[in-house]
């Protein structure tokens, strides 16, 4: 989650549905019609990096004299983020029923990282629980697929280049590749790392025999 | 909207990252996407102009005594600023990835005993600044190696040595090559039984293949 983290940048680029709470002139280009003001209650999709800051800033005027005037007014942020499609009830239900057959990649390729950010902002305990269960459930399968690798035909050295070429056995190939397509980016990272380490340790063992 | 170009840049960076994690071969750096970077920079100047314009407007309004809606101003400033920040982050991320790869290239390839001749075939893919950076970084590495730690070849192989003597096969014709420990006549497809520490560098350069 560092500043230079490419995946983090892509995560922050995913769009979130937002609602403006104030009229703001000059920002029409966010709605694709520059030159016009944005009306209060306008709904639009904004990238996360823009939305989460605007949702956090309270619009209390900075200058001191106007502070006194507006004191009774409650601090309103510029916009409000509503729950993105990735965390809608429909998706939550799907997660609860069968985590393993869920196509996370098509929901959001950066599901977990966005979920972490979302939970951090809104301290959403329910969502955090659901997502951590999801990761736990799916990691069992990830581990299985990372481990399964042809050791019988002894051509471990030739596996070499491709980490995604999991299985040489045809019936496994189908199952694993369709599962691998459903992984989100974080899971892919986990899968790749664990697959590499299984592969390396196997190669080492068979060479030392 | 703003920053869509920057997003493209990040996607490209991601792709480079993936290509490299899969490729067991040496890191290959794709061409620096000059055009996209230039367009992002153009957008940045546009954003900067916007900010100046806001400031002017605010000055005019305050001198004429029109009450300034500071909220609106603040929001406009913020959106602009955030776009600037985002563009900056994307550009830096792209460049950081590339410079990381250049660093590893400098450690892997240029640290050999034929130091100085930076014969990376990627050189054409690098921008002028990156070539400069690569040169300076290689100089830094050499400087460090010629400092207190001369006994250890810091850019040497990280694989722990297992056998003292190994069989090697020559992959490329290279004629006679003088190493620190003696002269080899490297003819293609000939084999040698040599001390591993003697030929480690030739293996790294791709002249020899360990058997």
């Amino acid at each position: 989650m560092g500043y230079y983290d490419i995946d983090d940048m892509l995560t922050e680029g995913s769009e979130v549905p937002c609602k403006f709470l104030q009229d703001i002139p000059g920002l029409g280009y966010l709605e694709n019609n520059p030159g016009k003001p944005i009306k209060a209650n306008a709904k639009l999709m904004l990238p996360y990096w823009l939305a989460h800051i605007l949702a956090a800033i309270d619009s209390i005027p900075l200058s001191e004299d106007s502070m006194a005037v507006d004191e009774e007014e409650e601090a309103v942020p510029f916009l409000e983020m509503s729950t993105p499609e990735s965390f809608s009830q429909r998706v939550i239900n799907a997660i609860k029923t069968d985590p393993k057959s869920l196509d996370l990649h098509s929901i959001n390729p950066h599901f977990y990282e966005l979920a972490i950010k979302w939970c951090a902002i809104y301290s959403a305990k329910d969502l955090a629980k659901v997502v951590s269960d999801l990761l736990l459930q799916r990691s069992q399968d990830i581990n299985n697929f990372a481990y399964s690798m042809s050791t019988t035909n002894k051509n471990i050295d030739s596996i070499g280049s491709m980490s995604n070429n999991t299985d040489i056995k045809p019936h496994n190939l189908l199952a694993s590749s369709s599962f691998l397509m459903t992984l989100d980016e974080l899971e892919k990272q986990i899968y790749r790392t664990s697959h590499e380490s299984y592969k390396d340790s196997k190669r080492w063992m068979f060479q030392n025999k | 909207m703003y920053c869509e170009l920057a997003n493209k840049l990040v996607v490209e960076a991601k792709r480079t990252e993936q290509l490299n994690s899969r490729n067991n071969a040496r890191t290959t750096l794709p061409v620096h996407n000059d055009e996209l970077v230039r367009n992002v920079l153009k957008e940045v100047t546009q954003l900067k102009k916007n900010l100046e314009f806001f400031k002017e407007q605010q000055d005019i309004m305050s001198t004429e005594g029109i009450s300034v809606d500071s909220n609106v101003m603040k929001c406009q400033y913020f959106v602009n600023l955030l776009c600037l920040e985002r563009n900056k982050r994307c550009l830096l991320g792209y460049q950081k990835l590339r410079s990381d790869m250049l660093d590893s290239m400098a450690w892997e390839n240029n640290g050999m005993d034929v130091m100085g001749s930076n014969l990376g075939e990627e050189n054409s893919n690098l921008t002028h600044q990156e070539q400069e950076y690569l040169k300076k970084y290689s100089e830094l590495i050499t400087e460090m190696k010629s400092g207190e730690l001369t006994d250890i070849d810091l850019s040497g192989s990280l694989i722990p040595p297992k056998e003292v003597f190994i069989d090697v096969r020559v992959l490329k014709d290279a004629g006679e090559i003088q190493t620190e420990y003696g002269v080899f006549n490297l003819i293609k497809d000939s084999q040698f039984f040599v001390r591993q520490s003697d030929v480690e560098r030739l293996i790294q350069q791709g002249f020899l293949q360990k058997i």
Side-chain angles (χ1 to χ4, degrees):
Chain A
M1 295 245 173
Y3 183 77
Y4 296 107
D5 188 345
I6 302 278
D7 277 313
D8 192 48
M9 278 180 230
L10 287 170
T11 313
E12 296 211 337
S14 49
E15 292 192 326
V16 180
C18 298
K19 195 174 83 180
F20 269 84
L21 299 178
Q22 301 177 19
D23 284 344
I24 294 163
L27 276 186
Y29 58 85
L30 296 177
E31 265 186 322
N32 284 331
N33 48 352
K36 298 221 174 69
I38 272 194
K39 292 266 186 290
N41 292 326
K43 281 183 187 148
L44 62 161
M45 300 290 281
L46 286 181
Y48 178 85
W49 54 264
L50 184 62
H52 85 283
I53 297 212
L54 288 184
I57 304 168
D58 294 332
S59 58
I60 309 171
L62 285 175
S63 50
E64 281 173 23
D65 50 329
S66 52
M67 189 82 112
V69 182
D70 290 335
E71 208 162 280
E72 66 271 26
E73 264 183 44
E74 218 169 287
V76 188
F78 290 116
L79 54 77
E80 191 181 69
M81 285 198 280
S82 30
T83 323
E85 177 67 12
S86 326
F87 309 131
S88 64
Q89 197 55 47
R90 197 174 55 85
V91 176
I92 301 289
N93 286 342
I95 290 173
K96 280 180 185 158
T97 22
D98 191 1
K100 288 183 182 176
S101 68
L102 191 68
D103 189 354
L104 262 194
H105 196 269
S106 72
I107 294 170
N108 188 341
H110 299 274
F111 184 85
Y112 289 108
E113 285 185 75
L114 193 62
I116 290 169
K117 286 172 192 296
W118 195 263
C119 292
I121 290 182
Y122 292 108
S123 13
K125 272 188 190 161
D126 297 343
L127 181 64
K129 176 130 183 38
V130 169
V131 172
S132 66
D133 278 352
L134 171 73
L135 184 58
L136 198 63
Q137 290 279 324
R138 283 170 76 91
S139 61
Q140 292 168 0
D141 261 21
I142 294 173
N143 186 42
N144 283 345
F145 282 115
Y147 182 76
S148 72
M149 175 194 333
S150 163
T151 50
T152 46
N153 44 5
K154 295 261 179 183
N155 56 355
I156 299 172
D157 277 325
S158 69
I159 295 173
S161 56
M162 289 293 286
S163 60
N164 271 1
N165 250 350
T166 342
D167 299 304
I168 286 131
K169 295 173 211 152
H171 62 276
N172 262 345
L173 183 67
L174 205 67
S176 73
S177 67
S178 66
F179 176 72
L180 291 180
M181 298 300 273
T182 68
L183 294 184
D184 110 314
E185 288 298 324
L186 181 78
E187 289 173 331
K188 271 187 191 157
Q189 198 76 42
I190 297 171
Y191 169 77
R192 202 172 294 143
T193 323
S194 64
H195 181 69
E196 289 286 321
S197 71
Y198 274 129
K199 196 175 72 188
D200 284 347
S201 60
K202 266 180 193 164
R203 181 185 297 154
W204 180 78
M205 280 198 296
F206 283 107
Q207 270 180 358
N208 278 283
K209 253 182 189 172
Chain B
M1 220 193 97
Y2 295 121
C3 300
E4 263 154 28
L5 289 171
N7 228 28
K8 265 188 213 161
L9 207 60
V10 184
V11 171
E12 203 182 297
K14 172 83 183 165
R15 189 171 154 64
T16 315
E17 202 179 36
Q18 271 175 341
L19 275 180
N20 270 306
S21 68
R22 267 173 217 172
N23 236 343
N24 278 7
R26 288 183 184 165
T27 47
T28 49
L29 207 55
V31 188
H32 187 269
N33 200 336
D34 261 333
E35 201 190 333
L36 204 50
V37 171
R38 223 176 304 126
N39 285 338
V40 174
L41 288 178
K42 234 184 248 170
E43 197 181 286
V44 169
T45 24
Q46 176 66 41
L47 285 165
K48 236 158 71 188
K49 265 186 208 150
N50 282 359
L51 281 180
E52 276 160 23
F53 173 71
F54 290 149
K55 185 128 185 57
E56 265 173 39
Q57 230 182 10
Q58 203 176 17
D59 286 345
I60 291 169
M61 281 164 93
S62 58
T63 47
E64 284 178 7
I66 307 166
S67 65
V68 191
D69 192 349
S70 63
N71 266 341
V72 170
M73 267 342 230
K74 206 164 130 193
C75 192
Q76 285 174 345
Y77 264 125
F78 261 123
V79 172
N80 255 284
L81 190 70
L82 287 172
C83 286
L84 276 176
E85 291 274 359
R86 171 74 180 176
N87 274 333
K88 176 177 151 198
R89 191 177 174 200
C90 293
L91 286 173
L92 282 176
Y94 182 69
Q95 205 53 55
K96 174 83 160 61
L97 182 75
R98 288 179 71 90
S99 68
D100 279 350
M101 283 161 64
L102 285 179
D103 288 359
S104 65
M105 263 162 54
W107 278 103
E108 278 166 26
N109 310 343
N110 295 342
M112 302 299 98
D113 48 357
V114 275
M115 197 72 177
S117 59
N118 287 348
L119 287 175
E121 61 263 39
E122 340 288 344
N123 270 3
S124 53
N125 286 350
L126 306 182
T127 61
H128 187 66
Q129 287 93 334
E130 282 170 339
Q131 284 177 22
E132 190 74 6
Y133 169 80
L134 184 60
K135 219 174 82 195
K136 288 267 171 64
Y137 191 78
S138 309
E139 275 169 24
L140 267 184
I141 293 177
T142 344
E143 201 176 299
M144 188 167 89
K145 286 197 296 188
S146 59
E148 292 167 19
L149 301 161
T150 30
D151 296 346
I152 311 162
D153 180 14
L154 286 174
S155 61
S157 169
L158 289 178
I159 301 161
K162 218 162 53 175
E163 287 156 273
V164 182
F165 288 95
I166 53 166
D167 270 314
V168 289
R169 181 179 292 148
V170 182
L171 291 179
K172 278 189 274 184
D173 254 329
E176 273 188 18
I177 279 196
Q178 177 90 40
T179 65
E180 283 124 84
Y181 302 95
V183 181
F184 287 105
N185 196 7
L186 298 184
I187 303 162
K188 195 166 185 252
D189 295 331
S190 57
Q191 286 192 21
F192 295 102
F193 186 64
V194 283
R195 237 177 48 198
Q196 185 170 2
S197 54
D198 291 359
V199 293
E200 213 158 54
R201 285 161 176 204
L202 291 169
I203 292 175
Q204 267 179 308
Q205 279 167 327
F207 285 110
L208 302 179
Q209 184 192 32
K210 188 179 163 187
I211 307 173

